[in-house]
């Protein structure tokens, strides 16, 4: 148990659907992250929020829209996705808002399949 | 730019064998951090170790040991007397101290320990 909870664990959606992934951390951390893990590729950082403000957006398509309403919750809103967006989406948190050299705590991920 | 290479995609060993996972990194920064994470079948990445670039002492934690060699830009991970519970994907990662550069992960090595 890492203290980071993601829901749902699995999600199947059509290309025209709208869905959201949820992440909650119970660690009192100040930074939260979304990563994408595709088969045979390194983990790709998508978004970073530090003290509830977005500080990093790694050229992610606009069909992915993050939201961080407070320091404990992070959402990833999905709409009109493509089949190549199928992947494991991992949420992580860290104590330090500058976070780049910090140990990350990960959730178990949401396995997304886009049909 | 930073890069992490884990040349071994998959390794299989028989229980109680020792196994070494290789990690080679590239960076022009002189201050950086190296990490290892374990991803069991449940999905969440679990932090194992962080080393900074000024500390080349090898580290041992139970059956785990890490060999950091700046001369060869390597940070290898050895599991002694492997167990079935060690079966997972292991990721090496690098972050640099300068700027707000995110953590760079290798592609991971899938370790299967067979009883």
């Amino acid at each position: 148990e890492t203290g980071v909870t993601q829901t749902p664990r699995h999600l199947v959606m059509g290309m025209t659907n709208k869905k959201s992934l949820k992440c909650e951390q119970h660690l009192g951390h100040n930074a939260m992250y979304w990563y994408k893990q595709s088969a045979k590729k390194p983990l790709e950082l998508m978004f970073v929020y530090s003290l509830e403000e977005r500080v990093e957006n790694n050229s992610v398509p606009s069909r992915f829209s993050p939201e961080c309403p407070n320091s404990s919750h992070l959402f990833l809103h999905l709409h009109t996705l493509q089949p190549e967006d199928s992947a494991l989406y991992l949420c992580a948190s860290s104590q330090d808002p500058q976070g780049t050299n910090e140990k990350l705590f990960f959730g178990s991920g949401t396995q997304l399949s886009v049909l | 730019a930073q890069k992490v290479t884990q040349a071994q995609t998959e390794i299989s060993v028989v229980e109680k064998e020792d196994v070494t996972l290789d990690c080679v990194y590239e960076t022009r920064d002189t201050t950086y951090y190296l990490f290892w994470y374990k991803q069991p079948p449940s999905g969440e990445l679990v932090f194992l170790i962080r080393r900074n670039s000024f500390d080349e002492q090898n580290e041992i934690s139970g059956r785990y040991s890490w060999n950091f060699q700046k001369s060869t830009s390597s940070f290898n991970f050895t599991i002694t007397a492997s167990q079935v519970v060690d079966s997972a994907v292991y990721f090496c990662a690098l972050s640099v101290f300068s700027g707000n550069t995110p953590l760079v992960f290798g592609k991971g090595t899938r370790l299967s320990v067979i009883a």
Side-chain angles (χ1 to χ4, degrees):
Chain A
E1 184 60 48
T2 63
V4 180
T5 304
Q6 287 187 246
T7 55
R9 289 298 308 272
H10 301 273
L11 179 62
V12 179
M13 59 188 287
M15 290 192 285
T16 57
N17 291 159
K18 287 186 182 181
K19 296 285 184 185
S20 295
L21 310 185
K22 180 183 175 182
C23 176
E24 184 174 0
Q25 57 98 358
H26 312 275
L27 302 166
H29 286 171
N30 294 303
M32 295 186 77
Y33 310 75
W34 279 116
Y35 279 87
K36 176 183 178 183
Q37 185 178 17
S38 307
K40 298 187 174 142
K41 283 187 174 182
L43 269 76
E44 301 171 56
L45 178 64
M46 300 175 73
F47 300 104
V48 180
Y49 275 83
S50 175
L51 299 171
E52 299 157 46
E53 288 194 16
R54 191 193 303 182
V55 296
E56 183 86 30
N57 174 1
N58 267 4
S59 303
V60 179
S62 59
R63 57 186 184 268
F64 295 92
S65 173
E67 179 190 1
C68 187
N70 55 61
S71 60
S72 299
H73 292 87
L74 184 65
F75 295 89
L76 187 63
H77 303 300
L78 316 171
H79 63 98
T80 58
L81 294 192
Q82 305 297 312
E84 61 264 27
D85 297 322
S86 298
L88 180 67
Y89 289 84
L90 290 161
C91 174
S93 70
S94 67
Q95 173 65 41
D96 189 336
Q98 295 303 316
T100 54
N101 301 308
E102 285 281 302
K103 161 180 166 179
L104 297 177
F105 292 75
F106 284 84
S108 298
T110 295
Q111 185 65 54
L112 174 68
S113 298
V114 181
L115 304 179
Chain B
Q2 283 65 241
K3 185 178 177 182
V4 175
T5 302
Q6 294 180 256
Q8 304 148 308
T9 307
E10 295 190 33
I11 300 176
S12 283
V13 298
V14 176
E15 206 171 19
K16 296 183 186 173
E17 285 184 354
D18 298 348
V19 58
T20 295
L21 310 182
D22 298 332
C23 173
V24 173
Y25 62 93
E26 294 176 31
T27 179
R28 292 185 178 177
D29 283 65
T30 54
T31 305
Y32 52 88
Y33 294 84
L34 294 162
F35 300 77
W36 275 95
Y37 284 85
K38 173 183 180 180
Q39 186 179 35
S42 51
E44 77 282 6
L45 275 78
V46 178
F47 169 85
L48 295 178
I49 189 171
R50 181 183 77 166
R51 303 292 284 186
N52 73 56
S53 51
F54 298 108
D55 184 1
E56 279 192 79
Q57 277 200 332
N58 291 331
E59 179 149 343
I60 299 175
S61 176
R63 295 182 298 106
Y64 294 172
S65 62
W66 291 269
N67 183 1
F68 177 25
Q69 294 204 341
K70 284 175 85 168
S71 60
T72 55
S73 297
S74 65
F75 187 44
N76 296 339
F77 172 30
T78 298
I79 302 174
T80 304
S82 59
Q83 299 176 2
V84 172
V85 293
D86 296 326
S87 297
V89 181
Y90 291 86
F91 292 92
C92 181
L94 165 72
S95 71
V96 297
F97 189 73
S98 61
N100 223 12
T101 313
L103 199 57
V104 174
F105 284 87
K107 292 186 179 181
T109 297
R110 180 177 298 278
L111 173 65
S112 299
V113 181
I114 304 162

